Amino acid sequence: MTPEGLPSLPERPGVSYIVPVLNEAEHVASAITTVLDQDYDGEKEIVVAVGPSTDETTSIVTTLAAGDPRITVVENPPGDTPSGLNAAVAATQHAVIVRVDAHSELTPDYTAAAIDTLQTTGAANCGGLMVARGKTPFQKAVARAYMSKVGLGGPAYHSGDEPQEAESAYLGVYRREVFEALSGFDSTLRRGQDWELNLRIREAGGLVWFDPRLEVTYWPRSSFKKIMQQFHATGIWRAEIVRRHGSKNSLRYLAPPLLVVGVTASAIEASLQLTGKTRTWPRFVRRVSSLIHVPSLAYVSAIAGAAATAKDCGPRERALFGIVLPTMHLSWGTGFLRGLVTGAGSTTDKSR
């Protein structure tokens, strides 16, 4: 798995694209089309793992497959992302495996640039920049939050950076040896399975690489309810990964749950003040307890500042941006705290 241990790739290796889908009738055709339109002259195949969808996803995918021999459809009865990814990988044949999501669209040169990155760096996996975009004012506000360091921050693939060794990669362009050596994605992780596989790659001595040339358009969820459901589930599963892997996780994952604790403490203290229950406390205790509000006020100021200074958008999108940010943070944080206490169990992402 080390860069020195991976065999050299041919100039134009065959590429297998794996696409897990569930209830993605709105996006799946576009995602597959961007794969078919890749400006790459090596051999290509697309394996779509279809979960038990309740919309038109299955019929859309089977119709596309009937018209193009490069598309193969496999079933994913559990409907979970990692099981779909593993089922798709098992049906592939080429040396390079590219993960694609139904909510994503690849730029035409994505594959060629990724192959070049694998060849020049010796990486076992590489990924690039997730370029979130929206069609409605709400979706545009969510996309802005994804790309903002105040929003998700941390990983280079959210806000762009120089080419560098990375902790994880968005989607990922893998050497087949990864799946042969590490047995693929952990099917017990319904979310966060990419990060966990990249952890195992790094522990095995493999290189994970970020290259900003690799741009993927991502279309976020389209309503507050779906964003809350998505981020709550993500927080729960991140806590499950922390329970399993402890200090191997970045400290940045503690920020949202600490925010939830801070806001809750501030709300409790404010309630006690309003009901007069703090009047009997010693003056020193009252002064110290009032400091509980400082982190929450600082957070509100940061969100207000980010919304006020947001560029290239109108008042409505700016206001939505200011609401979306805490929605993401608090949903993720409450999910994390729940998952830390109870574990993820059978939690699913109900936004799908």
Side-chain angles (χ1 to χ4, degrees):
M1 280 299 300
T2 62
E4 296 79 10
L6 290 171
S8 298
L9 283 172
E11 183 178 354
R12 286 290 181 270
V15 177
S16 300
Y17 302 86
I18 55 173
V19 192
V21 296
L22 176 70
N23 292 328
E24 294 289 0
E26 182 180 355
H27 300 285
V28 67
S30 294
I32 292 176
T33 298
T34 65
V35 172
L36 296 173
D37 290 343
Q38 286 293 288
D39 186 11
Y40 181 73
D41 55 12
E43 289 188 55
K44 292 178 287 196
E45 65 174 351
I46 308 171
V47 181
V48 186
V50 182
S53 299
T54 56
D55 61 9
E56 298 302 312
T57 298
T58 303
S59 62
I60 292 171
V61 172
T62 53
T63 299
L64 290 170
D68 195 313
R70 294 172 296 177
I71 304 174
T72 299
V73 180
V74 297
E75 292 185 359
N76 175 27
D80 297 332
T81 298
S83 61
L85 290 168
N86 288 334
V89 170
T92 63
Q93 59 179 327
H94 293 312
V96 175
I97 297 175
V98 181
R99 177 179 171 181
V100 182
D101 275 355
H103 271 249
S104 65
E105 296 177 8
L106 310 182
T107 55
D109 64 344
Y110 183 88
T111 301
I115 296 298
D116 178 64
T117 299
L118 292 179
Q119 291 170 331
T120 57
T121 64
N125 181 28
C126 67
L129 184 63
M130 184 189 78
V131 183
R133 292 197 172 100
K135 297 176 182 178
T136 66
F138 175 80
Q139 201 176 37
K140 289 178 181 179
V142 176
R144 185 178 294 275
Y146 265 95
M147 301 295 290
S148 169
K149 288 188 176 181
V150 180
L152 298 186
Y157 58 76
H158 282 309
S159 54
D161 213 324
E162 296 297 319
Q164 60 187 274
E165 185 173 348
E167 174 186 288
S168 188
Y170 177 57
L171 297 182
V173 179
Y174 297 86
R175 296 288 301 266
R176 172 169 290 279
E177 290 81 1
V178 167
F179 300 96
E180 294 173 346
L182 302 179
S183 301
F185 295 91
D186 185 342
S187 60
T188 67
L189 290 174
R190 288 180 170 173
R191 297 192 71 84
Q193 65 280 332
D194 303 85
W195 183 92
E196 192 276 340
L197 178 55
N198 282 296
L199 171 64
R200 284 187 281 133
I201 290 172
R202 291 186 284 112
E203 289 182 333
L207 178 66
V208 179
W209 192 260
F210 168 78
D211 188 334
R213 293 182 301 164
L214 309 180
E215 292 192 0
V216 182
T217 297
Y218 173 78
W219 298 99
R221 304 296 193 267
S222 57
S223 70
F224 272 110
K225 180 180 180 180
K226 289 184 177 181
I227 288 295
M228 292 173 67
Q229 291 172 329
Q230 178 190 10
F231 276 80
H232 187 70
T234 301
I236 289 174
W237 281 104
R238 174 52 62 178
E240 177 66 27
I241 292 175
V242 168
R243 285 164 62 102
R244 297 187 190 187
H245 297 287
S247 60
K248 295 175 183 178
N249 290 265
S250 172
L251 290 175
R252 70 174 178 270
Y253 296 121
L254 298 180
L258 288 176
L259 171 66
V260 172
V261 171
V263 169
T264 301
S266 183
I268 292 172
E269 208 275 346
S271 176
L272 293 174
Q273 284 184 337
L274 291 172
T275 56
K277 293 182 180 180
T278 62
R279 293 175 184 172
T280 59
W281 295 0
R283 180 178 298 178
F284 172 76
V285 174
R286 292 201 304 271
R287 288 179 177 177
V288 171
S289 69
S290 65
L291 295 177
I292 290 175
H293 301 297
V294 173
S296 296
L297 291 174
Y299 173 76
V300 171
S301 297
I303 296 299
T309 57
K311 299 178 180 179
D312 303 321
C313 64
R316 183 181 180 187
E317 184 181 331
R318 189 175 287 113
L320 286 169
F321 175 57
I323 300 172
V324 164
L325 285 170
T327 299
M328 287 179 167
H329 295 158
L330 295 173
S331 297
W332 201 101
T334 54
F336 184 94
L337 291 172
R338 173 186 165 185
L340 200 61
V341 174
T342 66
S346 59
T347 299
T348 58
D349 178 4
K350 295 180 180 179
S351 70
R352 297 176 67 195

